[in-house]
């Protein structure tokens, strides 16, 4: 079975705090791809990052960083020094190599309070 | 701008009616996906086309159908509309068969059935 779980439904933080969004996935495929998308209040889905299952290097892009751990089937997303513009719903997604679908988690709604 | 164009942006129609949503993928992308996002269901995969052929099917109702044309644009047809069909409908595209790459989403069509 393919599944993505984002246990945190809603998170609120005060501006400049760090926040980590959790993502746990399930797949039997040995090759797969993980993604994070951002959905701001305007509604569009914005691609943030892709990680291949054979590449466990963590990635940092500005205030964003991603921690991929195959041992725990997790792909967590950390925003450092959060800003109001980070307020959005964030989706984690899984794409197994053998299928054609993206499996999305239910999303985490992040509110950054000024 | 993701490069994926969806029209119309908003659509209000009555129950029992039929509507067509249109999607133009990014230049060079052969694969098109349709997703439905409603408040209580999250992002639901409907269907995928690759170079004109149906490639994967998700939770798509029999009242819904889609196709991808030779110029690679795609249309999602929704008929006998019900109040519960009110949702944000996203189209996404990716290169080749979609393996190894992320999907880029359009801005969505917000359908309201009254």
């Amino acid at each position: 079975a393919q599944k993505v779980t984002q246990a945190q439904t809603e998170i609120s933080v005060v501006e400049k705090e760090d926040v980590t969004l959790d993502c746990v996935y399930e797949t039997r495929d040995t090759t797969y791809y993980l993604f994070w998308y951002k959905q701001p209040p305007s509604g569009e889905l914005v691609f943030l990052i892709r990680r291949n299952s054979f590449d466990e290097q963590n990635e940092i892009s500005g205030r964003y960083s991603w921690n991929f751990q195959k041992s725990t089937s997790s792909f967590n997303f950390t925003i450092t020094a959060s800003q109001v513009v980070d307020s959005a719903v964030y989706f984690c997604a899984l794409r197994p190599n053998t299928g054609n679908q993206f499996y999305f988690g239910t999303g985490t709604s992040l509110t950054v309070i000024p | 701008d993701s490069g994926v164009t969806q029209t119309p942006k908003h659509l209000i129609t009555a129950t029992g009616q039929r509507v067509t949503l249109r999607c133009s993928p990014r230049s060079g992308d052969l694969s098109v996906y349709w997703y439905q996002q409603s408040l209580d269901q999250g992002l639901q995969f409907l269907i995928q086309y690759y170079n004109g052929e149906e490639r994967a099917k998700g939770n798509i109702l029999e009242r819904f159908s889609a196709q991808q044309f030779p110029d690679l644009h795609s249309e999602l047809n929704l008929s006998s509309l019900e109040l519960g069909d009110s949702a944000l409908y996203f189209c996404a595209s990716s290169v080749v068969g979609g393996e190894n790459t992320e999907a880029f989403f359009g801005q969505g069509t917000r359908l309201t059935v009254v």
Side-chain angles (χ1 to χ4, degrees), chain A residues 30-72:
Chain A
T30 54
T31 300
Y32 51 89
Y33 309 90
L34 297 164
F35 308 84
W36 276 95
Y37 287 84
K38 174 182 179 180
Q39 187 175 35
S42 51
E44 73 272 23
L45 276 160
V46 179
F47 164 73
L48 295 178
I49 190 171
R50 167 175 54 88
R51 175 60 69 220
N52 305 333
S53 57
F54 43 86
D55 180 5
E56 284 196 72
Q57 277 192 332
N58 292 327
E59 179 140 348
I60 298 175
S61 175
R63 297 183 297 107
Y64 294 173
S65 63
W66 291 268
N67 180 260
F68 175 34
Q69 291 196 338
K70 283 179 84 167
S71 60
T72 56

Coordinates of all heavy atoms in Angstrom, one line a residue, chain A residues 30-72:
Chain A
T30 N 11.1 0.0 -3.8 CA 12.5 0.3 -3.3 C 13.0 1.6 -3.9 O 13.8 2.3 -3.4 CB 13.5 -0.8 -3.7 OG1 13.4 -1.1 -5.1 CG2 13.2 -2.1 -3.0
T31 N 12.4 2.0 -5.0 CA 12.6 3.3 -5.7 C 11.4 4.1 -5.6 O 10.3 3.7 -6.1 CB 13.1 3.1 -7.1 OG1 14.3 2.3 -7.1 CG2 13.4 4.5 -7.7
Y32 N 11.5 5.3 -5.1 CA 10.3 6.2 -5.0 C 10.8 7.6 -4.9 O 12.0 7.9 -4.7 CB 9.4 5.8 -3.8 CG 10.1 5.6 -2.5 CD1 10.3 6.7 -1.7 CD2 10.7 4.4 -2.1 CE1 11.0 6.6 -0.5 CE2 11.4 4.3 -0.9 CZ 11.5 5.4 -0.1 OH 12.2 5.2 1.1
Y33 N 9.8 8.5 -4.9 CA 10.2 9.9 -4.9 C 9.2 10.6 -3.9 O 8.1 10.3 -3.9 CB 10.0 10.5 -6.4 CG 10.7 9.7 -7.4 CD1 10.1 8.6 -8.0 CD2 12.1 9.9 -7.6 CE1 10.8 7.8 -8.9 CE2 12.8 9.1 -8.5 CZ 12.1 8.1 -9.1 OH 12.8 7.3 -10.0
L34 N 9.8 11.5 -3.2 CA 9.1 12.3 -2.2 C 9.1 13.8 -2.6 O 10.1 14.3 -3.1 CB 9.7 12.1 -0.8 CG 9.6 10.6 -0.3 CD1 10.6 10.4 0.8 CD2 8.2 10.2 0.1
F35 N 8.0 14.4 -2.3 CA 7.8 15.8 -2.6 C 7.2 16.6 -1.5 O 6.5 16.1 -0.7 CB 6.9 16.0 -3.9 CG 7.3 15.1 -5.0 CD1 6.9 13.8 -5.1 CD2 8.0 15.6 -6.1 CE1 7.2 13.0 -6.2 CE2 8.4 14.8 -7.2 CZ 7.9 13.5 -7.2
W36 N 7.5 17.9 -1.5 CA 6.7 18.8 -0.7 C 6.1 19.9 -1.6 O 6.8 20.4 -2.5 CB 7.6 19.5 0.4 CG 7.7 18.7 1.6 CD1 8.7 17.8 1.9 CD2 6.8 18.6 2.7 NE1 8.5 17.2 3.1 CE2 7.4 17.7 3.7 CE3 5.6 19.3 3.0 CZ2 6.7 17.4 4.9 CZ3 5.0 19.0 4.2 CH2 5.6 18.1 5.2
Y37 N 4.9 20.3 -1.3 CA 4.2 21.3 -2.0 C 3.6 22.3 -1.0 O 3.2 21.9 0.1 CB 3.0 20.8 -2.9 CG 3.4 20.1 -4.1 CD1 3.8 18.7 -4.1 CD2 3.5 20.7 -5.4 CE1 4.2 18.0 -5.3 CE2 3.9 20.1 -6.5 CZ 4.2 18.7 -6.5 OH 4.6 18.1 -7.6
K38 N 3.5 23.6 -1.4 CA 3.0 24.6 -0.6 C 1.7 25.1 -1.3 O 1.7 25.4 -2.5 CB 4.0 25.7 -0.5 CG 3.5 27.0 0.3 CD 4.5 28.1 0.3 CE 4.1 29.3 1.0 NZ 5.1 30.4 1.1
Q39 N 0.6 25.3 -0.5 CA -0.6 25.9 -1.0 C -0.9 27.1 -0.2 O -1.5 27.0 0.9 CB -1.7 24.9 -1.0 CG -3.0 25.4 -1.6 CD -4.1 24.4 -1.7 OE1 -4.3 23.6 -0.8 NE2 -4.9 24.4 -2.8
P40 N -0.5 28.3 -0.7 CA -0.8 29.5 0.1 C -2.3 29.8 0.0 O -3.1 29.2 -0.7 CB 0.0 30.6 -0.7 CG 0.2 30.0 -2.0 CD 0.2 28.5 -1.9
P41 N -2.8 30.9 0.7 CA -4.2 31.2 0.7 C -4.8 31.4 -0.7 O -6.0 31.3 -0.9 CB -4.3 32.4 1.6 CG -3.1 32.3 2.5 CD -2.0 31.6 1.7
S42 N -4.0 31.9 -1.6 CA -4.4 32.1 -3.0 C -4.9 30.8 -3.7 O -5.5 30.9 -4.7 CB -3.4 32.8 -3.8 OG -2.1 32.1 -3.7
G43 N -4.4 29.7 -3.2 CA -4.9 28.4 -3.7 C -4.1 27.6 -4.6 O -4.3 26.4 -4.7
E44 N -3.1 28.2 -5.2 CA -2.3 27.4 -6.1 C -1.4 26.4 -5.4 O -1.0 26.7 -4.2 CB -1.5 28.3 -7.1 CG -0.3 29.0 -6.5 CD -0.6 30.3 -5.8 OE1 -1.8 30.5 -5.5 OE2 0.3 31.1 -5.7
L45 N -0.9 25.4 -6.0 CA 0.0 24.4 -5.4 C 1.4 24.6 -6.0 O 1.6 24.5 -7.2 CB -0.5 23.0 -5.7 CG -1.5 22.4 -4.8 CD1 -2.2 21.2 -5.4 CD2 -0.9 22.0 -3.5
V46 N 2.3 25.0 -5.1 CA 3.6 25.3 -5.5 C 4.6 24.2 -5.1 O 4.7 23.8 -4.0 CB 4.1 26.6 -4.9 CG1 5.5 27.0 -5.3 CG2 3.1 27.8 -5.2
F47 N 5.3 23.7 -6.1 CA 6.3 22.7 -5.9 C 7.5 23.3 -5.1 O 8.0 24.3 -5.4 CB 6.8 22.1 -7.2 CG 8.1 21.3 -7.1 CD1 8.1 20.1 -6.6 CD2 9.3 21.8 -7.6 CE1 9.3 19.3 -6.5 CE2 10.5 21.1 -7.6 CZ 10.4 19.9 -7.0
L48 N 7.9 22.5 -4.1 CA 9.1 23.0 -3.3 C 10.3 22.1 -3.5 O 11.4 22.7 -3.7 CB 8.7 23.0 -1.8 CG 7.6 24.0 -1.3 CD1 7.3 23.8 0.2 CD2 8.0 25.4 -1.6
I49 N 10.1 20.8 -3.4 CA 11.3 20.0 -3.4 C 10.9 18.6 -3.8 O 9.8 18.1 -3.6 CB 12.1 19.9 -2.1 CG1 13.4 19.2 -2.3 CG2 11.2 19.2 -1.0 CD1 14.3 19.3 -1.1
R50 N 11.8 17.9 -4.5 CA 11.7 16.4 -4.8 C 13.0 15.7 -4.2 O 14.1 16.3 -4.3 CB 11.7 16.2 -6.3 CG 11.9 14.7 -6.7 CD 11.7 14.5 -8.1 NE 12.6 15.4 -9.0 CZ 13.8 15.1 -9.4 NH1 14.3 13.9 -9.0 NH2 14.5 15.9 -10.1
R51 N 12.7 14.6 -3.6 CA 13.8 13.8 -3.1 C 13.7 12.4 -3.6 O 12.6 11.8 -3.5 CB 13.8 13.8 -1.6 CG 14.9 12.9 -0.9 CD 16.3 13.3 -1.3 NE 16.7 14.6 -0.7 CZ 17.4 15.5 -1.4 NH1 17.8 15.3 -2.6 NH2 17.7 16.6 -0.9
N52 N 14.7 11.8 -4.2 CA 14.7 10.4 -4.7 C 15.1 9.5 -3.5 O 15.9 9.8 -2.7 CB 15.7 10.2 -5.8 CG 15.5 11.2 -6.9 OD1 14.3 11.7 -7.1 ND2 16.5 11.6 -7.7
S53 N 14.5 8.3 -3.5 CA 14.7 7.4 -2.4 C 16.2 6.9 -2.2 O 16.6 6.5 -1.2 CB 13.9 6.1 -2.6 OG 14.2 5.5 -3.8
F54 N 17.0 7.0 -3.3 CA 18.4 6.6 -3.2 C 19.3 7.7 -2.8 O 20.5 7.6 -2.8 CB 18.8 6.0 -4.5 CG 18.4 6.7 -5.7 CD1 19.1 7.8 -6.2 CD2 17.2 6.4 -6.4 CE1 18.6 8.5 -7.4 CE2 16.7 7.1 -7.5 CZ 17.5 8.1 -8.0
D55 N 18.7 8.9 -2.5 CA 19.5 10.0 -2.1 C 19.1 10.5 -0.8 O 18.1 11.2 -0.7 CB 19.4 11.1 -3.2 CG 20.2 12.4 -2.8 OD1 21.0 12.3 -1.8 OD2 20.1 13.4 -3.6
E56 N 19.8 10.1 0.2 CA 19.4 10.5 1.6 C 20.0 11.8 2.1 O 19.9 12.1 3.3 CB 19.6 9.3 2.6 CG 18.7 8.2 2.4 CD 18.7 7.3 3.6 OE1 18.2 7.7 4.7 OE2 19.2 6.1 3.5
Q57 N 20.7 12.5 1.2 CA 21.3 13.7 1.7 C 20.2 14.7 2.1 O 19.2 14.8 1.4 CB 22.1 14.3 0.5 CG 23.5 13.8 0.4 CD 24.3 14.6 -0.5 OE1 23.9 15.3 -1.4 NE2 25.6 14.6 -0.2
N58 N 20.4 15.4 3.1 CA 19.5 16.5 3.5 C 19.7 17.7 2.6 O 20.8 17.8 2.0 CB 19.7 16.8 5.0 CG 19.2 15.7 5.9 OD1 18.3 15.0 5.6 ND2 19.9 15.6 7.0
E59 N 18.7 18.5 2.5 CA 18.8 19.6 1.6 C 18.4 20.9 2.3 O 17.5 20.9 3.2 CB 17.9 19.4 0.4 CG 17.9 20.6 -0.6 CD 17.9 20.1 -2.0 OE1 18.1 18.9 -2.3 OE2 17.7 21.0 -2.9
I60 N 19.1 21.9 2.0 CA 18.8 23.2 2.6 C 18.6 24.2 1.5 O 19.4 24.3 0.6 CB 19.9 23.7 3.6 CG1 20.1 22.7 4.7 CG2 19.6 25.1 4.1 CD1 21.2 23.1 5.7
S61 N 17.6 25.0 1.6 CA 17.4 26.1 0.6 C 16.9 27.3 1.3 O 15.7 27.4 1.7 CB 16.3 25.6 -0.5 OG 16.0 26.7 -1.3
G62 N 17.8 28.2 1.6 CA 17.5 29.4 2.4 C 17.0 29.0 3.8 O 17.7 28.3 4.5
R63 N 15.8 29.4 4.1 CA 15.2 29.1 5.4 C 14.6 27.7 5.5 O 14.1 27.3 6.5 CB 14.2 30.2 5.8 CG 14.8 31.6 5.9 CD 13.7 32.5 6.4 NE 12.6 32.7 5.4 CZ 11.4 32.2 5.6 NH1 11.1 31.5 6.7 NH2 10.5 32.3 4.7
Y64 N 14.5 27.0 4.3 CA 13.9 25.7 4.3 C 14.9 24.6 4.3 O 16.0 24.7 3.7 CB 13.1 25.6 3.0 CG 11.9 26.5 2.7 CD1 11.3 26.5 1.5 CD2 11.4 27.3 3.7 CE1 10.2 27.3 1.3 CE2 10.3 28.1 3.5 CZ 9.7 28.1 2.3 OH 8.6 28.9 2.1
S65 N 14.6 23.6 5.0 CA 15.5 22.4 5.0 C 14.6 21.1 5.1 O 13.5 21.2 5.6 CB 16.5 22.4 6.2 OG 15.9 22.4 7.4
W66 N 15.1 20.1 4.6 CA 14.4 18.8 4.5 C 15.3 17.7 5.0 O 16.5 17.6 4.7 CB 14.0 18.5 3.1 CG 12.9 19.4 2.6 CD1 11.6 19.3 2.7 CD2 13.1 20.7 1.9 NE1 10.9 20.4 2.1 CE2 11.9 21.2 1.6 CE3 14.3 21.4 1.5 CZ2 11.7 22.4 1.0 CZ3 14.1 22.6 0.9 CH2 12.9 23.1 0.6
N67 N 14.7 16.9 5.9 CA 15.4 15.8 6.5 C 14.7 14.5 6.1 O 13.6 14.2 6.4 CB 15.4 15.9 8.0 CG 16.1 14.7 8.7 OD1 15.5 13.8 9.2 ND2 17.4 14.8 8.7
F68 N 15.5 13.7 5.2 CA 14.9 12.4 4.7 C 15.6 11.3 5.4 O 16.8 11.2 5.4 CB 15.2 12.4 3.2 CG 14.8 11.1 2.5 CD1 13.7 10.3 3.0 CD2 15.6 10.6 1.5 CE1 13.4 9.2 2.3 CE2 15.2 9.4 0.9 CZ 14.2 8.7 1.3
Q69 N 14.8 10.4 6.1 CA 15.4 9.3 6.8 C 14.6 8.0 6.3 O 13.5 7.8 6.8 CB 15.2 9.5 8.3 CG 16.2 10.6 8.8 CD 16.3 10.5 10.3 OE1 15.5 9.9 11.0 NE2 17.4 11.1 10.8
K70 N 15.3 7.2 5.6 CA 14.6 6.0 5.1 C 14.3 5.0 6.3 O 13.4 4.3 6.2 CB 15.5 5.3 4.1 CG 15.4 5.9 2.7 CD 16.3 5.2 1.7 CE 15.7 4.0 1.1 NZ 16.4 3.5 -0.1
S71 N 15.2 5.0 7.3 CA 15.1 4.1 8.4 C 13.7 4.3 9.1 O 13.2 3.3 9.7 CB 16.2 4.2 9.3 OG 16.3 5.6 9.9
T72 N 13.3 5.5 9.1 CA 12.0 5.8 9.8 C 10.9 6.2 8.8 O 9.8 6.6 9.2 CB 12.2 7.0 10.8 OG1 12.7 8.1 10.1 CG2 13.1 6.6 11.9

